[in-house]
Amino acid sequence: MPSDTTGFWTPVALSADLPAGTVIPARTPAGSVALWRSEAGRLAASADRCPHRGMRLSHGFVRGEALSCIYHGWSYAQAGNCLRIPAHPGLTPPETIRVAIHEVAEADGVIWVAAGVPASKPPRLDGLTPLRSLTVLAGKDAIETAAGGKTSPDGLVETAAGAGGVWLLAADDGQTLVHVLVRDDAGTKDRIAASRAAESLRRRAENLQREGIVQ
Ligand code: FES
């Protein structure tokens, strides 16, 4: 989970990394999901396993408002029901063929997926703009130590003064997806500094974890 107080929501990706008509894999405490955006722009988070033979749906493709499996082409609606089985074009797929779905939300340029039924909306990131995401092969403790700060209730870690960046964390099983955010009024120099600070913090956090100083 990104933090104890963001409840069930995990910040899985930046909006800019999921254009209309695409699908990407994402990790949540509830398992892998196929995160996809229909050609009309609607978001969905489906379990990353096709009900037919188990192929990863994140390897599939989006056509119109459906996600199709790359293996035999079964396609699924955003509600999870199977829409079409190409080998049986005249068949209306039974309602029992479904892929599990998760609640998904998008705000302030960040996409969140719920690992259950959330009691509230994801936290807002007022005054911040997403810059980029990177995966750190270290847990949250190592990242906090490297950053010299603690995670806020909204899952944010402030970097050192002057670095011009804030991190939004989604920790999972020894690795952490970090979204680098900058203040809305950050200029080009601040953005470059924030990106470099993120790379530097990644190296420090991974060293701390590798050397067993912080788990
Ligand atoms: S495994 Fe997905 S359609 Fe066959």
Side-chain angles (χ1 to χ4, degrees):
M1 303 292 288
S3 76
D4 292 336
T5 50
T6 46
F8 298 95
W9 293 103
T10 299
V12 292
L14 300 185
S15 301
D17 294 331
L18 189 69
T22 61
V23 56
I24 58 174
R27 293 161 64 101
T28 79
S32 299
V33 299
L35 185 68
W36 57 287
R37 196 189 295 275
S38 75
E39 289 183 358
R42 294 170 58 222
L43 273 174
S46 310
D48 200 4
R49 188 173 188 283
C50 180
H52 182 214
R53 297 270 178 87
M55 173 60 79
R56 281 178 168 262
L57 286 172
S58 59
H59 292 172
F61 55 93
V62 177
R63 287 287 181 277
E65 301 306 291
L67 173 65
S68 294
C69 179
I70 195 74
Y71 200 176
H72 307 98
W74 291 23
S75 60
Y76 302 92
Q78 297 205 309
N81 53 302
C82 183
L83 293 169
R84 183 170 173 269
I85 298 176
H88 303 282
L91 176 78
T92 299
E95 264 295 313
T96 49
I97 303 177
R98 304 186 68 83
V99 61
I101 57 165
H102 299 276
E103 193 162 327
V104 61
E106 185 170 32
D108 306 315
V110 176
I111 299 170
W112 304 76
V113 171
V117 181
S120 58
K121 293 188 169 163
R124 299 303 304 259
L125 305 171
D126 294 334
L128 296 170
T129 300
L131 183 65
R132 58 175 292 203
S133 301
L134 68 169
T135 298
V136 180
L137 301 179
K140 194 172 78 173
D141 291 349
I143 290 172
E144 288 178 342
T145 302
K150 279 282 176 200
T151 311
S152 78
D154 287 343
L156 298 173
V157 178
E158 296 267 357
T159 52
V166 176
W167 291 23
L168 177 63
L169 307 183
D172 176 32
D173 208 15
Q175 72 179 46
T176 306
L177 179 62
V178 172
H179 306 294
V180 183
L181 313 170
V182 291
R183 309 283 170 204
D184 285 345
D185 59 358
T188 303
K189 268 178 65 177
D190 292 331
R191 288 165 174 263
I192 293 170
S195 187
R196 287 183 176 157
E199 296 286 354
S200 167
L201 276 166
R202 169 161 65 179
R203 283 193 293 276
R204 292 210 304 276
E206 290 182 347
N207 283 340
L208 287 168
Q209 179 123 343
R210 197 177 307 117
E211 291 164 10
I213 297 168
V214 180
Q215 293 304 312

